[in-house]
Structure formats: structure tokens, C-alpha cells
């Protein structure tokens, strides 16, 4: 990045091969054989009992090592200890079956088997850990998401807890070799998690589109198209959890929206609402409720003319198109967004959350962990986001 780039994202990252469609879970054993044995499987501890087909695919895989874990943010120490286990077992590939936290642990550990420096010598500040590039990758990962939310199955990131805060490990060696995305696996998701995944996808598309005009028009159109597909598909999936077409649309959008095509030509950290959201989830809230209250406040800040929060004209024109409105004002789009959040069952004010923390405490925690990527947004803006919500 040069001094004239001003943090503009020049990359569209799509190195992971995607195997998509209903019934594609059957491809997992073949993908593992291609990746190499011995294989270790990192799996959500409840997946075998509740997710269709997972018990059978584990039987067919006959993995040399199975790690079952809860769906919670892994720590750096946990990732390092798992890397040691994989190394001692002579593991040649890793299969991750579960949600984003399972994927993050598996990816970080698989990379650290070959590149232990990824998890050592972390320096405080900025929230991000971006080790120097190296000439080789880690163990190949076959990613099988059972949720549609974070896109961890196709990205080079892993969220790891480090003390009271979380750090975001970013390195090209974390890209999975292949992602097997089968919407049948998502039919067991409860309504709340279905809505939460759809909301996360909409948020990662909408906030950058409104906050940061790109250097070319295509990223706006990509974001609008994905939101227009996700919202009605999520409505159908919430009405009928066995609607595979709707499930597939939501699942594919969760992955495709992390490829960064919608963010190319924008600021690298244009999804800036993610950082204060991460502060709330670090305090035990689920991501859906956290996003619900912060997105509501973010939209009102844009309507009120805070140009660092976003552009009111872009909220009206582009956000209106994405949400299916004709000629709306910025306030009408903010109202429509709040209505969507309510329809999907999310709170829109802090008073609806069970959270024992002041706006100042939340601002301090956010700024301590994420001040670097939040730039050019200010500490006062973060405080305003929490106070207004």
C-alpha cells in the first residue's frame, strides 16, 4: 500500500474452491482424500446429533483424529495447542465442520502446524495480527459450514480471543483449500440463527456501500444485487426451514459477500460497524442482537448528516434500491431497515439488551482494541454510536 492509496482495498480474494449445492456433503470424503491423510476433523460438538448427514460423513471419513468443541470464540492458546496435537499426530489435512468459530480454530491451527510464528510474538494494538508473508502454506483445510454467516469457509481470517479482547489473525495461509457448501446442512438451524446469518451478510454489504463510495460503480451494484437476493430468501427460509433454494441463496451469499468484490475500491475497513459489534459480542451478546441495535443507530447517524458514518444520499438511493424502495428519503430507508430488523426478531435499542456496561466503557474497549482500523472514524463517533443505541 502506498501513501496515495489511503487504505483503499485493491484486492478481490477468491483462492478457495467452492463446491456448492444440495447434497454436496457427499463430496467431503473425496476432498479429504485429495488433501491427504492422516486427517483431523474439527467439528461442532452438537453437529453429529442435529445436523443432517454429519454423523454419516464422519463414519465414512474415519478420521485419525476428531476434535469436538463448543461454538465459542477460540483462544490463541487453544489454536496453538491444537496445532501441537496435529503436528504430533502427523496430520496432513484438516476438515472443519461447524460454524465460524470452529472454522477459525481449524484454520489457525492448520496453518500454525507449518507456520508456528503465526501464533507467537503478537504485539498489542490495532486488533489485527498480520504476520509477514511466507513462501509456503499450512495444512490444507476442507471447510464444511453448518451455518451461513461469517464466511470463514472462504476467507483468510480467524477471530481469536486474547485476554479480554479479540484479535483478528489475517494471513493468506488461512484460506481453506475447498469449501463444501451444502444448504441441507442448514435446515437444522433454528430461526434465530438463520436470521442472524442473513443479517450479518446484509450488514457487511450495506455499511460499506453507504459509508465509502468506491472508485468504480461495479462494487455498488454487486452489493445491491446480493442484498436484493438475500432479504427475500431469508424471509422464505424463516417461514420454511426446509426451503433449500432459499437456504442455498443465503448460504452462497454469506460466502460470496466475503470475497470482497463489493469492497474493492473502498476503504479496507469500510465495514466499520463490525468493530463496535465485536466489542458487544466479546461481552457475551450474540452477533444478531448486537448488530440490530448498532445498525439502527448507524442509519440514524447517516440520516443526521454524519458523513464519516455514511452518506445520506447513498443511503437513500443505493440502500433504497437494495431494500426494494422507490424514491425514498434517507429517513424512510432507515425506517425500512429498522422494520426489517424487527421482522427478523432483532432488538433495535440498547434498552432491550441485557448488558451491564456504559457507553463510555464500551467506547474505551472498542477504541483500545480497534482504533487503527476504525480510522478515519473517531472515538467520539464510536461513543455516539453506543450512546444513541
Amino acid at each position: 500500500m502506498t501513501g496515495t492509496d489511503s487504505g483503499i482495498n485493491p484486492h478481490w480474494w477468491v483462492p478457495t474452491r467452492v463446491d456448492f449445492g444440495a447434497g454436496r456433503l457427499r463430496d467431503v470424503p473425496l476432498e479429504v482424500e485429495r488433501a491427504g491423510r492422516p486427517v483431523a476433523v474439527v467439528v461442532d460438538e452438537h453437529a453429529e446429533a442435529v445436523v443432517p448427514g454429519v454423523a454419516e460423513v464422519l463414519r465414512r471419513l474415519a478420521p485419525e483424529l476428531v476434535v469436538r468443541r463448543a461454538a465459542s470464540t477460540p483462544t490463541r492458546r487453544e489454536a496453538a495447542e491444537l496445532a501441537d496435537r496435529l503436528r504430533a499426530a502427523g496430520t496432513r489435512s484438516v476438515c472443519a465442520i461447524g460454524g465460524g468459530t470452529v472454522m477459525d480454530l481449524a484454520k489457525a491451527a492448520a496453518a500454525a502446524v507449518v507456520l508456528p510464528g503465526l501464533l507467537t510474538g503478537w504485539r498489542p494494538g490495532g486488533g489485527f495480527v498480520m504476520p509477514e508473508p511466507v513462501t509456503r502454506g499450512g495444512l490444507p483445510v476442507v471447510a464444511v459450514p453448518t451455518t451461513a454467516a461469517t464466511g470463514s469457509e472462504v476467507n483468510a481470517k480467524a477471530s481469536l480471543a486474547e485476554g479480554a479482547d479479540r484479535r483478528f489473525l489475517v494471513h493468506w495461509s488461512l484460506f481453506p483449500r475447498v469449501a463444501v457448501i451444502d444448504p441441507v446442512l442448514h435446515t437444522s438451524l433454528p430461526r434465530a440463527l438463520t436470521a442472524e446469518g442473513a443479517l450479518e451478510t446484509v450488514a457487511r454489504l450495506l455499511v460499506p456501500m453507504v459509508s465509502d463510495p468506491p472508485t468504480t460503480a461495479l462494487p455498488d451494484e454487486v452489493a445491491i444485487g446480493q442484498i436484493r437476493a438475500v432479504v427475500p430468501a431469508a424471509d422464505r427460509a424463516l417461514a420454511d426451514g426446509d426451503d433449500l433454494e432459499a437456504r442455498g441463496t443465503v448460504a452462497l451469499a454469506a460466502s460470496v459477500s466475503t470475497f470482497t468484490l463489493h469492497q474493492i475500491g473502498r476503504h479496507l475497513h469500510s465495514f466499520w460497524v463490525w468493530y463496535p459489534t465485536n466489542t458487544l459480542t466479546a461481552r457475551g451478546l450474540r452477533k444478531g442482537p448486537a448488530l440490530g441495535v448498532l445498525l439502527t443507530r448507524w442509519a440514524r447517524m447517516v440520516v443526521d448528516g454524519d458523513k464519516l458514518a455514511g452518506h445520506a444520499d447513498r443511503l437513500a438511493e443505493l440502500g433504497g434500491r437494495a431494500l426494494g424502495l422507490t424514491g425514498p428519503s434517507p429517513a424512510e430507508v432507515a425506517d425500512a431497515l429498522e422494520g426489517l430488523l424487527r421482522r427478523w426478531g432483532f432488538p433495535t435499542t440498547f434498552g432491550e439488551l441485557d448488558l451491564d456496561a456504559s457507553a463510555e466503557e464500551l467506547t474505551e474497549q472498542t477504541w483500545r482494541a480497534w482504533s487503527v482500523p476504525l480510522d478515519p472514524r473517531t472515538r467520539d463517533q464510536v461513543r455516539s454510536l453506543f450512546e444513541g443505541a
Side-chain angles (χ1 to χ4, degrees):
M1 185 165 62
T2 68
T4 58
D5 285 327
S6 302
I8 296 298
N9 173 34
H11 301 296
W12 176 23
W13 289 106
V14 286
T16 300
R17 180 166 56 85
V18 174
D19 183 8
F20 169 77
R24 303 318 300 185
L25 183 65
R26 64 177 178 267
D27 296 341
V28 171
L30 175 60
E31 296 294 352
V32 166
E33 293 301 325
R34 288 171 172 167
R37 282 187 174 269
V39 61
V41 173
V42 184
V43 60
D44 183 285
E45 63 183 3
H46 300 299
E48 290 168 84
V50 301
V51 179
V54 168
E56 173 61 17
V57 83
L58 282 174
R59 186 192 66 78
R60 291 175 57 201
L61 280 175
E64 286 77 11
L65 176 64
V66 179
V67 178
R68 296 174 176 86
R69 73 178 305 277
S72 59
T73 302
T75 65
R76 176 172 63 150
R77 179 175 178 177
E78 183 184 4
E81 289 175 347
L82 179 55
D84 289 341
R85 289 182 65 186
L86 299 178
R87 194 180 299 111
T91 302
R92 292 183 57 197
S93 66
V94 177
C95 179
I97 304 174
T101 58
V102 169
M103 301 285 172
D104 287 355
L105 173 62
K107 294 192 307 182
V113 168
V114 180
L115 307 166
L118 293 176
L119 299 175
T120 61
W122 286 14
R123 293 185 296 275
F128 282 85
V129 180
M130 300 182 182
E132 292 297 318
V134 292
T135 57
R136 63 194 189 283
L139 298 182
V141 173
V142 177
V144 186
T146 59
T147 63
T150 68
S152 184
E153 65 275 5
V154 294
N155 69 31
K157 303 169 185 176
S159 179
L160 302 176
E162 176 76 349
D165 294 322
R166 296 182 185 179
R167 306 292 297 281
F168 220 33
L169 178 63
V170 182
H171 196 262
W172 70 269
S173 64
L174 271 66
F175 280 114
R177 171 77 60 85
V178 60
V180 179
I181 303 173
D182 186 339
V184 174
L185 275 63
H186 304 166
T187 58
S188 63
L189 281 174
R191 190 181 194 280
L193 293 186
T194 298
E196 188 170 290
L199 176 57
E200 185 171 355
T201 299
V202 169
R204 79 164 62 97
L205 294 163
L206 180 64
V207 174
M209 182 175 69
V210 172
S211 297
D212 286 283
T215 54
T216 179
L218 184 59
D220 285 341
E221 298 304 317
V222 168
I224 290 169
Q226 289 185 79
I227 294 171
R228 287 180 65 90
V230 167
V231 170
D235 284 337
R236 295 198 306 275
L238 290 170
D240 178 5
D242 293 324
D243 185 332
L244 290 181
E245 191 282 326
R247 290 282 190 188
T249 296
V250 174
L252 195 57
S255 296
V256 172
S257 64
T258 64
F259 286 164
T260 69
L261 179 55
H262 74 281
Q263 230 171 325
I264 198 166
R266 303 189 199 275
H267 192 277
L268 282 165
H269 307 296
S270 55
F271 184 22
W272 68 277
V273 176
W274 182 89
Y275 303 105
T277 300
N278 198 67
T279 296
L280 297 181
T281 57
R283 287 176 172 261
L285 289 181
R286 288 207 57 85
K287 192 175 294 182
L291 273 172
V293 296
L294 293 182
L295 278 178
T296 302
R297 173 55 184 159
W298 162 77
R300 299 303 174 188
M301 290 171 68
V302 175
V303 170
D304 291 342
D306 186 336
K307 285 188 167 42
L308 281 180
H311 301 269
D313 58 338
R314 295 179 68 78
L315 179 65
E317 179 187 354
L318 305 180
R321 285 175 55 200
L323 295 178
L325 306 178
T326 302
S329 67
E332 288 170 332
V333 177
D335 289 342
L337 177 60
E338 185 171 352
L340 174 65
L341 294 168
R342 290 292 185 186
R343 186 168 82 237
W344 285 357
F346 295 109
T348 57
T349 66
F350 257 116
E352 299 170 78
L353 300 178
D354 182 17
L355 187 66
D356 184 19
S358 68
E360 186 57 39
E361 289 173 318
L362 297 172
T363 300
E364 178 57 32
Q365 183 176 350
T366 303
W367 202 249
R368 179 181 69 244
W370 306 106
S371 58
V372 173
L374 276 168
D375 181 64
R377 281 89 195 177
T378 66
R379 196 179 189 282
D380 285 343
Q381 279 183 302
V382 174
R383 184 189 298 108
S384 178
L385 189 70
F386 286 124
E387 286 176 344

